[in-house]
Amino acid sequence: MTFFESNLFVVGIVTILAVVSPGPDFAVIVRNGLRYGRKMGLATALGIAGGVVVHVTYTLLGLSYLVAEFSWILEIVRYIGAAYLIWLGASAFIPNGKDVEIECDEEAVPVEFWSAFRNGFLCNALNPKTMMFFIALFTQVISPETSLMTKVGIGVYISLTHLVWFSFVVFVLTNPRTVRLFGQWRKAIENVVGCCLLGLGVKLALDT
């Protein structure tokens, strides 16, 4: 195995481990999947993948250097991201206004779709730990000689990995058997996830 192939292998493994590790993205997927159903959960997964595209884009444009050199940029993103996570967590305790039944064939509502997409997009794009992940990945694992097409390919792979994994999570959460299993505990689970999001937001804000 060549050095280049070895690096790509490392990127593949590290990406999978990072994606499946529980974090803000996972929490917001569980929240939206349980609260709004399969289609809105998939919209959230698509938003998360879109957030990854943002990280890939600024990394390829060299803006990651500015983020690494000027720490105050990361601090601003950290506080904005923390506030957003806290808001998402608090919203789990706010009634929907209607009792949402999770079904696989529910009709899509454009406003709700974009709202769910925005939840996933902002959760990922405003996560400073994701920013640092991309900075570390593209500065330590990928060499300056790596072609632009290869970097773009890696970015597409990372984005698709997010989309596939979180779509899988949504399908598991909204499977009829899973829905029946959770049944009356759905609201309690939403509240637990809400507490996790609140905790993640507070921890992110207090991290030094």
Side-chain angles (χ1 to χ4, degrees), residues 60-172:
L60 293 180
L61 292 176
L63 297 182
S64 58
Y65 172 79
L66 294 178
V67 174
E69 289 296 314
F70 300 97
S71 58
W72 59 269
I73 298 177
L74 198 61
E75 286 296 294
I76 291 175
V77 173
R78 179 163 70 91
Y79 285 115
I80 294 175
Y84 188 69
L85 287 177
I86 291 172
W87 178 83
L88 282 177
S91 68
F93 300 94
I94 301 174
N96 272 340
K98 62 178 180 178
D99 187 17
V100 178
E101 294 293 333
I102 301 177
E103 297 182 2
C104 299
D105 58 350
E106 59 183 341
E107 294 183 2
V109 180
V111 174
E112 290 183 359
F113 176 90
W114 289 110
S115 177
F117 178 90
R118 184 173 63 250
N119 286 162
F121 179 82
L122 292 178
C123 183
N124 186 275
L126 294 177
N127 188 346
K129 292 185 178 180
T130 304
M131 296 177 69
M132 295 307 298
F133 169 78
F134 274 87
I135 292 173
L137 184 68
F138 278 79
T139 57
Q140 300 298 324
V141 178
I142 300 174
S143 68
E145 290 76 26
T146 304
S147 69
L148 177 61
M149 288 302 297
T150 300
K151 293 178 181 178
V152 171
I154 291 173
V156 171
Y157 164 76
I158 297 175
S159 181
L160 287 178
T161 301
H162 280 76
L163 180 60
V164 171
W165 167 248
F166 289 117
S167 295
F168 169 75
V169 172
V170 169
F171 273 98
V172 171

Side-chain angles (χ1 to χ4, degrees), residues 36-76:
Y36 303 119
R38 175 169 294 179
K39 290 184 180 179
M40 298 306 106
L42 292 175
T44 308
L46 189 62
I48 291 173
V52 172
V53 173
V54 172
H55 296 296
V56 172
T57 301
Y58 70 67
T59 302
L60 293 180
L61 292 176
L63 297 182
S64 58
Y65 172 79
L66 294 178
V67 174
E69 289 296 314
F70 300 97
S71 58
W72 59 269
I73 298 177
L74 198 61
E75 286 296 294
I76 291 175

